[in-house]
Amino acid sequence: MTGNGQSSINQIQDRIIDELAHLDDRLEKYEYLIGLGRDFFVPDGGIRSDENAVAGCQARVWIKAEMREGRLRLVADSDAMITRGLISLLLRVFDDQPPQDILDAELYFLDRTGLGTHLSPSRANGLTSMVRQILSYAEEQASRARD
């Protein structure tokens, strides 16, 4: 575990787990994700480009990353509400964290909330692709910091 970012990542995951603790079934969890997707703020700025597209998702997904003051800043969007909800959770966990802390993190909130198991196979594959893309951005920035 490195730095304060690691504990922040775990604290955020724990808050998400607490928020979802009262949702018992798949339908309630989907409704929660749709609500998050509706409320998810996406700043203007050309996020929806081929350069930011995430391959392997059923819905169209875009994730953009940049470094600011040693932290990975993420913006994302999707054309599907459930996917936007998933993205909003991933960004809550990973946005504004040091890249190495992202790489060192154990992403456990998906399993503990049941979100990972309640998704259709195509959505689960898309979620894996989104996480992989964020980790790729973090790895790229962490290796630049090491050089």
Side-chain angles (χ1 to χ4, degrees):
M1 289 190 202
T2 63
N4 290 336
Q6 180 65 38
S7 64
S8 293
I9 287 173
N10 288 345
Q11 289 170 352
I12 293 164
Q13 291 188 91
D14 291 342
R15 281 194 296 271
I16 293 169
I17 291 166
D18 288 344
E19 287 171 22
L20 284 132
H22 70 283
L23 302 178
D24 295 324
D25 66 21
R26 175 182 287 187
L27 183 59
E28 288 178 319
K29 290 178 182 173
Y30 277 142
E31 288 172 358
Y32 176 81
L33 289 173
I34 290 168
L36 288 177
R38 261 192 226 109
D39 296 339
F40 185 61
F41 173 74
V42 180
D44 293 333
I47 180 95
R48 290 185 175 206
S49 68
D50 290 344
E51 178 184 354
N52 300 323
V54 177
C57 297
Q58 177 184 14
R60 296 189 64 194
V61 177
W62 303 270
I63 301 175
K64 183 178 178 180
E66 65 180 27
M67 286 295 290
R68 274 193 237 143
E69 299 176 8
R71 295 178 166 283
L72 193 66
R73 297 307 318 258
L74 300 162
V75 292
D77 196 8
S78 175
D79 60 1
M81 282 301 137
I82 290 174
T83 305
R84 280 179 113 197
L86 289 168
I87 289 171
S88 74
L89 291 174
L90 290 176
L91 265 57
R92 274 180 63 188
V93 172
F94 291 130
D95 182 39
D96 201 24
Q97 298 289 341
Q100 192 60 52
D101 289 354
I102 293 170
L103 294 171
D104 292 342
E106 175 193 347
L107 190 62
Y108 57 82
F109 84 92
L110 294 166
D111 288 332
R112 292 189 189 167
T113 59
L115 286 174
T117 57
H118 286 299
L119 295 174
S120 67
S122 59
R123 282 199 180 100
N125 288 340
L127 179 61
T128 300
S129 295
M130 290 184 278
V131 170
R132 203 175 293 135
Q133 184 66 50
I134 292 168
L135 293 174
S136 173
Y137 287 140
E139 178 59 43
E140 179 182 323
Q141 294 303 325
S143 70
R144 283 184 184 174
R146 289 188 291 265
D147 291 342

